[in-house]
């Protein structure tokens, strides 16, 4: 049995999006596909298996140690980078599961070195440098010294240096990103001069960097939201064609005729302005269909965009099917995706909710079964 509300994930679309990245950056640049947050809600294991089988990416990126372990236990053998520092009590498991770890402080280097010494292991690490994000990373001034400490360790292999570009997706951030990349170039040169060799993998570009800053590709790029078919900002250059991979659909569970003046849902926040037909469908905020869609959301039925009415409930929501509607229980309701010539995608959700497409796909709840197709 599957849940009545299901997310259909087109693995072929993800593959094509990543192939577009690979074609754009050329054969000399590796591709790290971000599959953190359950592959942005699309199903990390299935997506990672497709990537490994098709060869459209060389690395995978995760946010947590358990995410990386899940992939290893599913049989994934590609290199996996944990994109932020791990906690001390996670290090042994991370090393045992062959995760490449991010280091950004002397404490992180010492803690990982100790774990490796005790277990007789060698850990591959990437040094994260903060060049303008202000979130995670060693300061530019301290980076060469920290890199030297890693290089001097018999337990650690400094394979990469990377940074993150916080405004690369927006046209307004072009000057900031240019300055940031100049700082990054300088610190990479200083690190390599300090340790006396070239570091294998230098990387900076997220989706915005890939699409709008071709000079920032270095040795590897890290596509995120673009892998799943969305541009990171309305002003991001559309230099690579993308195709959304997720459709979320359910079915009408109940249909009823109501008279003008009938209140609908909790609090009676919507009243029928005329005799009409109300449909109920089994999706609500526990499924990721946001409560903010109450009286302002849209769903697609038989190629028509119809309004959500009343408050979105935990498990059910209502739609005004219109006077004289002939829709019946069992008819498909598309919450996210395409019906006929109409589309209502994660960007449309984001505009309605005042958020971004990333949050939309990530918040499709676990009880919504992922059905993977086209792999």
């Amino acid at each position: 049995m599957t849940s009545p509300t299901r997310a259909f994930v087109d693995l072929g679309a993800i593959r094509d999006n990543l192939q577009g990245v690979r074609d754009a950056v050329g054969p000399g640049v590796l591709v790290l596909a971000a599959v953190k947050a359950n592959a942005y809600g699309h199903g990390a294991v299935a997506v990672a298996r497709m990537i490994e089988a098709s060869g459209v990416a060389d690395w995978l990126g995760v946010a947590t140690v358990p995410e990386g372990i899940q992939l290893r236990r599913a049989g994934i053998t590609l290199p996996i980078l944990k994109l932020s520092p791990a906690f001390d009590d996670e290090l042994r498991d991370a090393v045992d599961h062959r995760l490449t770890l991010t280091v950004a402080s002397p404490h992180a280097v010492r803690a990982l070195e100790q774990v490796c010494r005790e277990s007789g292991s060698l850990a591959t690490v990437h040094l994260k440098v903060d060049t303008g994000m202000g979130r995670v990373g060693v300061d530019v001034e301290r980076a060469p010294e920290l890199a030297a400490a890693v290089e001097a360790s018999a337990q650690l292999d400094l394979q990469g240096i990377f940074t993150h570009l916080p405004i690369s997706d927006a046209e307004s951030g072009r000057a900031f990103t240019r300055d940031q990349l100049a700082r990054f170039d300088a610190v990479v040169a200083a690190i390599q001069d300090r340790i006396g060799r070239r570091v294998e993998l230098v990387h900076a570009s997220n989706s915005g960097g890939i699409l709008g800053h071709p000079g920032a590709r270095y040795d590897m790029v890290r596509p995120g939201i673009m892998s799943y078919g969305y541009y990171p900002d309305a002003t991001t250059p559309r230099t690579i064609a993308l195709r959304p991979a997720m459709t979320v659909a359910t079915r009408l569970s109940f249909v009823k005729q109501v008279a003008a003046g009938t209140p609908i849902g909790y609090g009676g926040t919507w009243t029928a302005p005329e005799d009409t037909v109300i449909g109920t469908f089994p999706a609500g905020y526990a499924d990721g269909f946001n409560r903010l869609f109450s009286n302002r959301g849209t769903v697609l039925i038989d190629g028509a965009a119809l309004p959500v009415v009343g408050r979105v409930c935990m498990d059910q929501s209502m739609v005004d099917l219109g006077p004289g509607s002939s829709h019946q229980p069992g008819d498909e309701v598309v919450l996210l995706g395409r019906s006929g010539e109409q589309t209502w995608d994660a960007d449309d959700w984001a505009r309605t909710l005042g958020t971004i497409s990333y949050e939309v796909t990530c918040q499709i709840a676990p009880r919504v079964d992922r059905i993977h197709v086209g792999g």
Side-chain angles (χ1 to χ4, degrees):
M1 294 291 293
T2 58
S3 56
T5 302
R6 295 177 287 176
F8 298 90
V9 177
D10 184 352
L11 293 172
I14 299 172
R15 183 184 60 241
D16 291 347
N17 295 335
L18 286 168
Q19 186 62 52
V21 173
R22 190 179 282 292
D23 291 345
V25 301
V29 179
L30 300 181
V31 176
L32 179 152
V35 294
K36 60 181 182 171
N38 197 29
Y40 291 49
H42 292 71
V45 170
V47 170
R49 284 174 173 162
M50 177 277 294
I51 289 170
E52 186 160 78
S54 65
V56 289
D58 309 284
W59 280 69
L60 302 172
V62 299
T64 69
V65 170
E67 287 178 345
I69 292 174
Q70 178 193 35
L71 296 179
R72 288 287 183 242
R73 289 178 174 169
I76 301 300
T77 61
L78 283 175
I80 299 172
L81 174 62
K82 185 187 181 308
L83 294 160
S84 57
F87 289 103
D88 291 359
D89 57 6
E90 298 177 315
L91 294 176
R92 181 60 185 270
D93 282 339
V95 171
D96 287 347
H97 287 86
R98 308 181 317 282
L99 304 187
T100 301
L101 294 170
T102 292
V103 294
S105 70
H107 172 81
V109 170
R110 290 192 299 269
L112 182 55
E113 194 174 27
Q114 179 65 25
V115 165
C116 290
R117 188 178 297 114
E118 292 171 355
S119 62
S121 304
L122 176 70
T124 302
V125 302
H126 288 211
L127 179 67
K128 177 71 176 288
V129 184
D130 182 10
T131 59
M133 176 73 177
R135 185 175 62 181
V136 168
V138 61
D139 292 342
V140 167
E141 296 78 11
R142 296 187 175 92
E145 180 181 359
L146 187 59
V150 176
E151 185 73 1
S153 173
Q155 282 74 41
L156 307 181
D157 173 26
L158 179 60
Q159 182 191 43
I161 307 169
F162 73 114
T163 195
H164 196 60
L165 307 176
I167 321 180
S168 62
D169 55 348
E171 180 63 31
S172 61
R174 295 194 69 82
F176 182 93
T177 301
R178 283 196 300 270
D179 290 345
Q180 191 180 5
L181 291 170
R183 287 192 293 276
F184 186 54
D185 289 341
V187 74
V188 169
I191 289 170
Q192 296 186 148
D193 182 66
R194 176 72 178 267
I195 66 175
R197 67 174 178 91
R198 187 188 185 282
V199 175
E200 179 184 348
L201 296 176
V202 175
H203 49 109
S205 279
N206 49 12
S207 294
I210 294 166
L211 291 161
H213 298 271
R217 289 169 180 169
Y218 299 102
D219 303 304
M220 186 162 71
V221 295
R222 307 189 304 266
I225 192 64
M226 68 181 300
S227 303
Y228 307 101
Y230 291 97
Y231 298 97
D233 185 82
T235 63
T236 305
R238 268 59 170 167
T239 51
I240 299 174
L242 303 176
R243 184 156 55 98
M246 181 185 289
T247 296
V248 181
T250 187
R251 295 174 288 168
L252 289 174
S253 57
F254 194 77
V255 175
K256 66 184 294 185
Q257 180 80 37
V258 301
T262 301
I264 300 297
Y266 285 119
T269 59
W270 186 86
T271 300
E274 59 183 337
D275 294 353
T276 192
V277 179
I278 298 297
T280 299
F281 56 89
Y285 54 80
D287 302 284
F289 192 69
N290 201 293
R291 193 171 182 269
L292 292 176
F293 283 137
S294 301
N295 298 310
R296 57 201 288 255
T298 298
V299 297
L300 308 179
I301 303 177
D302 196 23
L306 299 173
V308 174
V309 295
R311 287 183 183 162
V312 170
C313 311
M314 182 182 291
D315 312 298
Q316 302 180 86
S317 303
M318 289 74 69
V319 54
D320 183 5
L321 299 173
S325 170
S326 60
H327 289 299
Q328 297 294 320
D331 288 355
E332 183 181 62
V333 181
V334 175
L335 310 180
L336 181 74
R338 174 182 290 274
S339 175
E341 297 302 311
Q342 289 280 349
T343 59
W344 195 252
D345 62 18
D347 285 334
D348 296 306
W349 277 41
R351 280 188 290 271
T352 303
L353 297 171
T355 185
I356 55 176
S357 57
Y358 305 66
E359 183 178 25
V360 169
T361 61
C362 286
Q363 289 195 343
I364 302 300
R367 79 173 182 184
V368 176
D369 292 324
R370 271 60 171 179
I371 311 297
H372 294 93
V373 298

